[in-house]
Amino acid sequence: MSFDSIEVTALYADVHPNVAQKVGMKMKSKLQVTSAAVKSTSAAAMKSTSAAIKSTSAAVKSTSAAVKSKLQVTSAALQSQITNLRDSPDRYKSPQKKRPSTPSAKSEAPMALKILQQKYRNVQERRRARREEAEGDSRTSFSATDRGGDMKSSAVCSICNHGQPNAKLRSCGHSTTCMSCTSNLMAKGLPCPQCSEPIMSYGISLEYMLEQQQQQQQEREAKAAAKAVKVQSEGVRGFLSSIATIVEDSKITEADHINKLRDVGRRKKFKEIFPNLRINCTIRATESIQMQLIQLIRSNDIQRLENLARVASPLILDDQQLYVVVRKRILEVLENGVVGGVASELVFEQILDACSILGKACSLVGAKLDAEIYYTRAKVGYENLHGADHEKSLYSALSLFMNMKLKTAQDVRLLRNLAERMEMSLGEAEAIEPFQMCAIAYAEHGNIEEAREVWEKCLEYQENSLGLKHRSTLVTVENLGVLEEKDGNFEIALEYFERALKGKEMALGEKHQETLLLLMTIAAIFEKLDDSESALVLYDMALKGFEATLGKDDKRSLACARNYMLCLNDDDDGDKNITKLEVLLKKYPHMVEEFLHLDSGESTSVNDSSASTSLFDSESDSDSEIDSESESESDSEQEEGSDGDVGLLSLARKGFL
């Protein structure tokens, strides 16, 4: 019955209930028959499938049993072969082709091999015993861990004593023999000479390979370093010769630069800065390095230009012309970087700093007018940016005064006003330098009272900030003595000079030229006080010191000898002085004619001349300083005392030079 007929019958059953009951009974019986058929079919299929699985598992078990039996047979055969190989007397021999031999040779070969093996073992035992005895070890044989452990290769082969131990035995890991000796050992069936383990195979030692690679790398690095040093030295020489020619009107030569770099401090700074210039030193042609320098000076790279300026500065090469050129280029680059004529506060201050430094550079080369222009520009800019009492404004104004000569009293008053402003704004220590300049200007204009007042103030500030024994303090004391000498106060001047002498003897030494020059000054004061005896003693001490340190031909020695001769000539102790004069004239024969003129009265004005004019030179080192680093270096040089600096004393007390 189809689905459509069932639906029709169901619809018809609403009208005839008996028909519907009959139809339901028929459908139920058909369903029962169908389910019974399905159950019987599934049971038969399951039984057949399980039977197939059981037969398959039985086949797998039989196959595995056959494979296992074959493996057992194979392993047993291998074990027997290994046992035969171990028990074989020829196990140390490498496989070789059989050669026909006589019966006597076959019987003698194993015996000869055993004898060689025994001799080899004896040699190794003796070597091992000597090595253990040297190491202080009482053991007579290696343990199992020693035989299997790693061992560093020695310098030479332990067999031939000249080859490199580049062979590593794979059975024990030792590397004490060369490749040739290891091959011979393996061919003869001999064991490892270190642990007596059989040599199954060998290869090249990894340690030896690494050592060889490291050695080759070191050789390459050494060659590269030597080449770099040579190239760099050639490049530096080309650089020095180039910068001596690219600046017009420059009197600096390559030899001058090389002499500057002989100083350890300058050479160290040059080595630090030179790589930052990024100049290709591999180009040996001087013209190529010149072109690189010209391109660098014309470039806009501020950092490289600053490095070049540091190289040319007084701290390293002291090439003043190149320093000015580079500083001008730096200022030009900074000004060109300003967009629309309006600069930010930071850029504007950088431009003012460049103007200030350029002013100092121009002052070094004698371009006073250019220096004044740049100083004025920096001063006005700092005052507009920070105010008149700012540190940079005050120092710019001081630099402007140092660049000019104080010709009028109005200039001196303006400098005095600046010194007082610096004292109020920056402190006493920073005001010492302008006050010194004021005192020198007052003394040159004949205003002794004002000069004395300012110098006494400077002395007080120096004693508080620098100390009693500092060189600058002693110079101020000496200046006060000269001032009192000019004013006719010889006794007060003598007190100042004696104080300065004690300080210089402690700071510089009794034989230093500044100390000896001060002795001459004190001797001249004693002459003016009519104490010829003390003056002669001091002249004699000073002359001996000059001759010992500088020689009798030095201008200081000649000046002291002449003063000594004049003092002896003026003294009344005739006989004693005549003897000293004879000794002095024999030592300095060129003074005989001059002494005869003095004795005849033709020249008598030399004793009245004063040598104190040079004492009014400024002690300041600011004109020769470029930056704060040079200030600290000049201060340290002042404390130590320089042999080439004669201080503020005259070379000759009485105007003979």
Side-chain angles (χ1 to χ4, degrees):
M1 180 182 294
S2 66
F3 180 75
D4 296 335
S5 61
I6 292 173
E7 286 184 348
V8 173
T9 306
L11 292 174
Y12 186 72
D14 293 338
V15 183
H16 300 283
N18 293 329
V19 175
Q21 187 176 3
K22 291 179 180 180
V23 171
M25 291 299 290
K26 289 181 180 180
M27 290 178 63
K28 185 176 181 180
S29 61
K30 286 183 179 182
L31 288 173
Q32 288 176 355
V33 172
T34 303
S35 61
V38 169
K39 286 180 180 180
S40 61
T41 304
S42 60
M46 289 176 65
K47 286 180 180 181
S48 62
T49 303
S50 62
I53 291 172
K54 287 179 180 180
S55 62
T56 304
S57 62
V60 170
K61 286 180 180 181
S62 61
T63 304
S64 62
V67 171
K68 187 175 181 181
S69 62
K70 288 182 179 180
L71 289 175
Q72 289 177 355
V73 171
T74 304
S75 61
L78 290 173
Q79 189 68 26
S80 63
Q81 291 178 5
I82 292 171
T83 305
N84 293 334
L85 288 173
R86 287 180 180 176
D87 296 337
S88 176
D90 300 333
R91 66 178 185 271
Y92 296 116
K93 292 185 178 181
S94 59
Q96 296 179 356
K97 293 183 179 180
K98 293 183 179 181
R99 295 180 180 178
S101 59
T102 60
S104 60
K106 290 184 179 179
S107 60
E108 291 177 0
M111 183 60 68
L113 181 59
K114 289 181 180 180
I115 292 172
L116 288 174
Q117 289 177 354
Q118 186 61 36
K119 287 183 178 180
Y120 184 76
R121 290 193 185 97
N122 293 338
V123 171
Q124 294 304 318
E125 288 294 336
R126 285 196 298 271
R127 288 182 180 176
R128 188 182 301 114
R130 286 197 299 269
R131 186 164 55 251
E132 290 177 355
E133 184 179 357
E135 294 175 356
D137 192 356
S138 61
R139 295 175 300 174
T140 58
S141 62
F142 286 94
S143 63
T145 55
D146 291 332
R147 290 195 298 268
D150 294 334
M151 178 179 176
K152 293 184 179 179
S153 59
S154 58
V156 293
C157 173
S158 61
I159 302 297
C160 60
N161 291 328
H162 61 80
Q164 294 179 342
N166 53 1
K168 184 169 185 178
L169 307 183
R170 291 173 181 167
S171 56
C172 58
H174 290 146
S175 300
T176 59
T177 56
C178 62
M179 297 292 287
S180 178
C181 293
T182 306
S183 177
N184 293 335
L185 289 176
M186 190 170 179
K188 295 177 181 179
L190 297 177
C192 171
Q194 186 66 33
C195 62
S196 301
E197 285 288 330
I199 302 177
M200 305 302 295
S201 62
Y202 65 92
I204 190 167
S205 173
L206 182 60
E207 294 179 357
Y208 171 76
M209 293 175 62
L210 293 176
E211 289 177 0
Q212 290 294 108
Q213 291 177 0
Q214 291 176 359
Q215 185 177 0
Q216 293 174 1
Q217 181 67 21
Q218 291 175 359
E219 292 177 356
R220 286 194 296 268
E221 290 177 356
K223 290 181 181 179
K227 184 178 180 181
V229 169
K230 183 178 180 181
V231 169
Q232 186 177 8
S233 62
E234 292 177 358
V236 169
R237 184 174 290 275
F239 171 77
L240 297 178
S241 62
S242 298
I243 64 175
T245 56
I246 61 174
V247 181
E248 296 179 359
D249 301 329
S250 178
K251 298 180 181 180
I252 305 295
T253 62
E254 177 188 351
D256 297 330
H257 290 150
I258 293 176
N259 291 332
K260 292 288 183 182
L261 292 179
R262 295 186 191 278
D263 180 68
V264 177
R266 293 175 182 266
R267 186 166 62 251
K268 182 179 179 181
K269 293 176 183 177
F270 180 80
K271 287 182 178 180
E272 293 176 354
I273 301 173
F274 184 73
N276 297 329
L277 297 178
R278 298 197 296 275
I279 293 178
N280 188 3
C281 294
T282 58
I283 303 175
R284 298 187 178 184
T286 306
E287 292 79 12
S288 300
I289 299 179
Q290 287 180 356
M291 289 303 300
Q292 292 183 68
L293 276 170
I294 294 172
Q295 291 174 2
L296 174 57
I297 294 174
R298 293 175 179 175
S299 68
N300 296 328
D301 193 340
I302 293 291
Q303 189 63 37
R304 292 179 66 195
L305 289 172
E306 287 286 352
N307 289 325
L308 183 58
R310 290 180 63 190
V311 169
S313 68
L315 297 177
I316 301 180
L317 294 181
D318 197 14
D319 194 330
Q320 299 173 357
Q321 297 289 345
L322 177 63
Y323 187 74
V324 172
V325 170
V326 177
R327 280 295 169 191
K328 286 183 178 180
R329 178 57 185 169
I330 291 174
L331 178 60
E332 183 180 352
V333 171
L334 290 174
E335 290 175 341
N336 292 337
V338 178
V339 180
V342 180
S344 64
E345 184 174 336
L346 179 60
V347 176
F348 185 56
E349 188 166 3
Q350 289 178 350
I351 294 174
L352 296 178
D353 293 340
C355 288
S356 179
I357 297 174
L358 183 55
K360 293 179 182 179
C362 292
S363 179
L364 286 177
V365 297
K368 299 293 183 181
L369 183 59
D370 292 341
E372 183 178 355
I373 293 173
Y374 290 118
Y375 279 141
T376 304
R377 180 179 174 185
K379 174 180 175 295
V380 174
Y382 284 135
E383 289 177 352
N384 294 333
L385 187 63
H386 300 296
D389 293 332
H390 190 267
E391 179 181 3
K392 291 185 176 181
S393 303
L394 295 173
Y395 276 115
S396 297
L398 179 61
S399 300
L400 195 58
F401 276 108
M402 293 174 65
N403 186 64
M404 59 184 290
K405 290 184 178 180
L406 303 176
K407 297 180 180 180
T408 63
Q410 179 67 18
D411 295 336
V412 180
R413 283 195 297 270
L414 292 174
L415 179 59
R416 180 79 176 270
N417 183 24
L418 176 63
E420 292 173 353
R421 286 165 54 199
M422 293 183 71
E423 180 183 5
M424 294 179 60
S425 301
L426 305 178
E428 297 177 353
E430 303 299 329
I432 293 174
E433 189 172 6
F435 276 127
Q436 288 273 15
M437 295 172 60
C438 289
I440 293 172
Y442 283 135
E444 288 177 348
H445 292 142
N447 196 343
I448 303 297
E449 294 297 329
E450 293 290 340
R452 182 184 293 113
E453 177 187 354
V454 176
W455 253 321
E456 287 177 351
K457 180 183 290 189
C458 289
L459 180 60
E460 180 184 356
Y461 292 166
Q462 287 173 330
E463 289 175 346
N464 294 335
S465 59
L466 302 177
L468 298 175
K469 299 179 182 179
H470 194 272
R471 183 173 179 271
S472 299
T473 306
L474 298 176
V475 169
T476 303
V477 172
E478 195 174 346
N479 286 341
L480 282 169
V482 174
L483 194 67
E484 296 296 343
E485 181 186 0
K486 288 188 68 174
D487 200 25
N489 301 323
F490 299 120
E491 294 181 355
I492 300 176
L494 188 60
E495 293 178 1
Y496 280 119
F497 286 139
E498 288 178 347
R499 176 184 170 184
L501 179 64
K502 291 180 181 178
K504 289 193 174 183
E505 286 178 346
M506 296 179 64
L508 304 177
E510 296 181 356
K511 299 298 183 180
H512 194 273
Q513 55 182 320
E514 289 191 22
T515 307
L516 299 175
L517 287 169
L518 191 53
L519 277 177
M520 291 175 58
T521 304
I522 297 174
I525 297 294
F526 277 120
E527 281 190 83
K528 293 179 180 180
L529 292 174
D530 296 329
D531 189 355
S532 299
E533 184 177 357
S534 300
L536 290 174
V537 172
L538 293 177
Y539 277 133
D540 186 63
M541 292 173 58
L543 182 59
K544 290 180 180 178
F546 281 127
E547 290 177 348
T549 56
L550 303 176
K552 68 175 185 177
D553 295 330
D554 187 80
K555 54 186 177 182
R556 299 166 183 79
S557 302
L558 296 175
C560 186
R562 187 168 185 176
N563 288 352
Y564 191 15
M565 183 188 69
L566 293 175
C567 188
L568 288 171
N569 185 56
D570 294 339
D571 193 21
D572 296 333
D573 194 358
D575 296 337
K576 186 177 180 180
N577 291 343
I578 288 174
T579 305
K580 292 182 178 179
L581 275 172
E582 290 177 353
V583 175
L584 193 62
L585 291 174
K586 287 181 180 179
K587 190 180 296 185
Y588 299 94
H590 61 280
M591 292 185 180
V592 175
E593 185 177 356
E594 185 176 355
F595 175 73
L596 293 176
H597 288 307
L598 290 174
D599 193 42
S600 62
E602 294 183 12
S603 177
T604 58
S605 61
V606 290
N607 251 350
D608 298 331
S609 63
S610 175
S612 60
T613 55
S614 64
L615 284 170
F616 297 129
D617 295 338
S618 175
E619 177 64 17
S620 170
D621 294 319
S622 297
D623 287 341
S624 61
E625 294 170 355
I626 301 302
D627 49 22
S628 60
E629 184 179 359
S630 61
E631 291 177 3
S632 62
E633 291 183 359
S634 63
D635 290 341
S636 62
E637 290 175 359
Q638 288 177 2
E639 293 176 2
E640 295 174 359
S642 173
D643 292 339
D645 185 11
V646 297
L648 301 179
L649 291 174
S650 174
L651 296 179
R653 280 291 305 158
K654 298 180 179 180
F656 298 123
L657 297 179

